[in-house]
Amino acid sequence: MALSLKAIERLLDKSEFQLFARTRRSTIGAASDADLQDLAKQIRERRDRARGIARQQRREMRRKAEPQGARPASDNSGTKAKADALTAALKRVGAERTRRTEKLHAPSQRSLARKALVLKQRQAAAKQQPASRQAGKGMKSVPSSKAGKSGALDHAGQRSAMHRSKFAR
């Protein structure tokens, strides 16, 4: 379930929320490639730290590990939600970087038009015109070897119809 911006602001500390805000749709497009790379690195570090803390808290709740603080953790939902919010931000950065890479490698409209013209000219040259405008003999009709349907002329299907009705006339 998506969290509201206020809920995310409560989960993250100030510096993490600033990183998160830089990944929003309205601001991520203005960032340079170097900024995106640096942003991804910083978010990844924060996300990994939050994941590690959530994992430790989960182990403390199951009593598999010694408590890190004064008392053992009773819930890790906040830390897990923090890691999830940072993961979503990291995915947005990755998607923007992928979009920019694909945009650089996409063919231009000019090159696509030239390629289409070459294909069209090649096909026109390969097309063979008939020697004359006279029709050939065309397809030959092949009579069907199947038996006629029930009710066909000349009682061709009478036997099968009687067999289906299970009585003889």
Side-chain angles (χ1 to χ4, degrees):
M1 183 173 86
L3 295 173
S4 68
L5 196 59
K6 287 195 179 229
I8 291 173
E9 192 172 8
R10 271 186 258 119
L11 284 173
L12 305 176
D13 64 14
K14 208 172 207 177
S15 63
E16 289 170 342
F17 185 73
Q18 288 174 352
L19 293 174
F20 182 87
R22 286 173 52 192
T23 65
R24 298 193 62 205
R25 187 181 298 171
S26 57
T27 58
I28 198 166
S32 68
D33 291 340
D35 288 342
L36 283 179
Q37 189 172 2
D38 184 50
L39 183 63
K41 181 182 174 196
Q42 290 175 357
I43 292 174
R44 192 175 294 114
E45 288 171 356
R46 306 281 175 111
R47 183 212 48 193
D48 291 345
R49 182 176 184 276
R51 276 184 178 172
I53 292 171
R55 193 172 293 124
Q56 175 65 26
Q57 288 173 341
R58 190 172 62 240
R59 287 179 54 80
E60 288 177 18
M61 289 183 332
R62 294 187 338 232
R63 305 212 194 297
K64 297 282 186 179
E66 293 297 319
Q68 295 289 349
R71 58 189 173 135
S74 60
D75 186 23
N76 74 336
S77 60
T79 313
K80 186 167 175 9
K82 180 180 193 174
D84 291 343
L86 291 171
T87 299
L90 190 60
K91 282 184 180 181
R92 282 193 298 273
V93 172
E96 177 66 17
R97 291 176 70 187
T98 302
R99 186 191 67 80
R100 289 181 183 189
T101 303
E102 287 175 356
K103 187 177 178 182
L104 286 176
H105 297 299
S108 68
Q109 191 64 35
R110 183 179 183 180
S111 66
L112 290 174
R114 285 187 176 171
K115 182 179 176 183
L117 178 63
V118 167
L119 290 174
K120 184 177 179 182
Q121 290 171 343
R122 195 179 300 158
Q123 185 177 5
K127 195 185 253 188
Q128 292 180 352
Q129 297 292 330
S132 68
R133 294 180 56 88
Q134 300 296 322
K137 292 184 181 180
M139 295 177 64
K140 297 177 184 172
S141 64
V142 178
S144 175
S145 61
K146 294 181 182 177
K149 296 198 185 231
S150 175
L153 297 177
D154 297 333
H155 307 288
Q158 182 177 11
R159 184 170 185 271
S160 59
M162 287 191 313
H163 189 274
R164 279 195 303 271
S165 64
K166 296 187 180 178
F167 68 91
R169 292 188 183 186

